[in-house]
Amino acid sequence: QPVTVAIVGAATAVHATGMVPGLANDPRAPLAVVGIPVTLPLSEIVARLNAARPALLVGYATVLAQLGQERSAGRLTIAPRRVTSTSETLTPELRRLIRNGLGAPVVDSFACTEGLTGSTAPDETVFMFNSDVCIVELVDSDNRPTPVGEESNKILVTHLVNRAQPLIRYAIEDRFVQRGRAGGYLCATVVGRSEPLLRFDAVHVHPHVIRSVLLCHEGVIDYQVRQTPRGVRVDVLGDE
C-alpha cells in the first residue's frame, strides 16, 4: 500500500511544488502524491486534505501554519506522521504554529533551481546540503569567506554536474551560518534572503524588525508593508 503524500503548493508546474505530483505518480512507486493547489480557498484545501488522509504533508510555511490553526479548530482532521516545510523561510513563530497545530515533527527543506538542496532532521534547524554536487561558499558583501558561526551576506554556488548551464560562483542572496560538516557535507542554518533595508536618512531598519512582530500574532493571515517618507504603512489581513 503506497504512502500518501499531500503537497499543498503551486497549481501548475511553474514551480517545483506543482511539478512533483505529476512526476511522482508512478504506479510502481511506494508513494502516492496528491497535489493540492495553494490558490484554492482554505476551506477547499482542508476538505481535500481530509479526503486524502496523507501520512506526509508538504507545503509552504505560512500555509502549513494556517492548516495547523485549522486542525486546532477541529476543521482539519488529518494526523500526518511528518510535515515538511518548503519554499519559504521557516521562522520560529511559524514552526511553533505548525508543530503545535499539526502535532507532527517538522522538517525544513531548502532548494533552489541552481541545484543546491538541503534538509534538516525532524524538529531540528541545521540543514545538511548536497555539497558533493555543489561547491558552496559562505561570503560577506565583498565575497570574503565568512567564519564558522557567523552569518554570511550571501552564498556563492558552483554546480559540479549541470552541463546544460554551468554555474561558477553564482551569487544567491540567502544568508547562511555554517555549523561545521558531517560526513564531508556542509551543515548550516539558513537565516533567509538578504533583503533591502528600510532607510530613513541615518537610520536603517531591517525587514525582520517588522516581520517578527507580525508573525507573533496568530490572527495575521497576510500582510503588506510599504515604506513612506517618515515610516511604514502596514496593511494586515486578519482571520476575523
Side-chain angles (χ1 to χ4, degrees):
Q1 183 72 20
V3 175
T4 300
V5 182
I7 300 180
V8 183
T12 67
V14 68
H15 187 261
T17 53
M19 177 178 63
V20 169
L23 295 177
N25 277 329
D26 186 325
R28 299 165 295 179
L31 300 177
V33 181
V34 177
I36 301 176
V38 73
T39 50
L40 292 173
L42 183 59
S43 59
E44 179 63 21
I45 295 174
V46 169
R48 294 196 185 193
L49 286 171
N50 286 338
R53 316 301 299 175
L56 306 176
L57 177 61
V58 181
Y60 307 142
T62 51
V63 178
L64 292 174
Q66 288 181 286
L67 293 174
Q69 293 174 310
E70 289 296 296
R71 188 172 183 270
S72 296
R75 291 182 288 269
L76 181 64
T77 58
I78 65 173
R81 296 201 296 266
R82 190 177 70 196
V83 178
T84 299
S85 174
T86 184
S87 305
E88 292 181 339
T89 301
L90 181 62
T91 64
E93 294 84 3
L94 290 174
R95 180 187 290 274
R96 177 179 56 82
L97 290 174
I98 296 167
R99 185 66 171 90
N100 294 343
L102 294 173
V106 180
V107 172
D108 198 3
S109 65
F110 177 98
C112 62
T113 54
E114 291 78 21
L116 182 65
T117 62
S119 64
T120 71
D123 289 336
E124 298 293 338
T125 59
V126 178
F127 291 79
M128 181 181 289
F129 289 93
N130 63 334
S131 49
D132 56 339
V133 175
C134 296
I135 298 173
V136 189
E137 301 173 66
L138 281 63
V139 298
D140 62 16
S141 57
D142 295 318
N143 292 340
R144 296 174 300 193
T146 304
V148 174
E150 293 188 14
E151 184 179 307
S152 71
N153 177 266
K154 57 188 170 183
I155 59 173
L156 304 178
V157 174
T158 299
H159 202 299
L160 303 175
V161 177
N162 189 346
R163 297 182 180 180
Q165 187 180 29
L167 299 174
I168 300 176
R169 306 194 80 202
Y170 183 86
I172 298 177
E173 302 298 324
D174 279 292
R175 293 175 290 129
F176 283 24
V177 179
Q178 185 174 341
R179 302 300 183 184
R181 291 186 174 270
Y185 293 94
L186 170 68
C187 295
T189 49
V190 179
V191 182
R193 286 286 169 92
S194 297
E195 298 178 90
L197 297 176
L198 302 175
R199 301 178 186 275
F200 304 94
D201 296 327
V203 178
H204 299 166
V205 179
H206 193 280
H208 279 327
V209 173
I210 302 169
R211 180 183 296 111
S212 60
V213 174
L214 293 170
L215 291 178
C216 285
H217 295 276
E218 297 183 5
V220 175
I221 297 174
D222 203 355
Y223 60 88
Q224 181 184 63
V225 179
R226 285 177 285 183
Q227 184 173 3
T228 65
R230 298 184 59 82
V232 294
R233 173 177 173 176
V234 182
D235 294 320
V236 176
L237 176 64
D239 60 1
E240 294 182 0

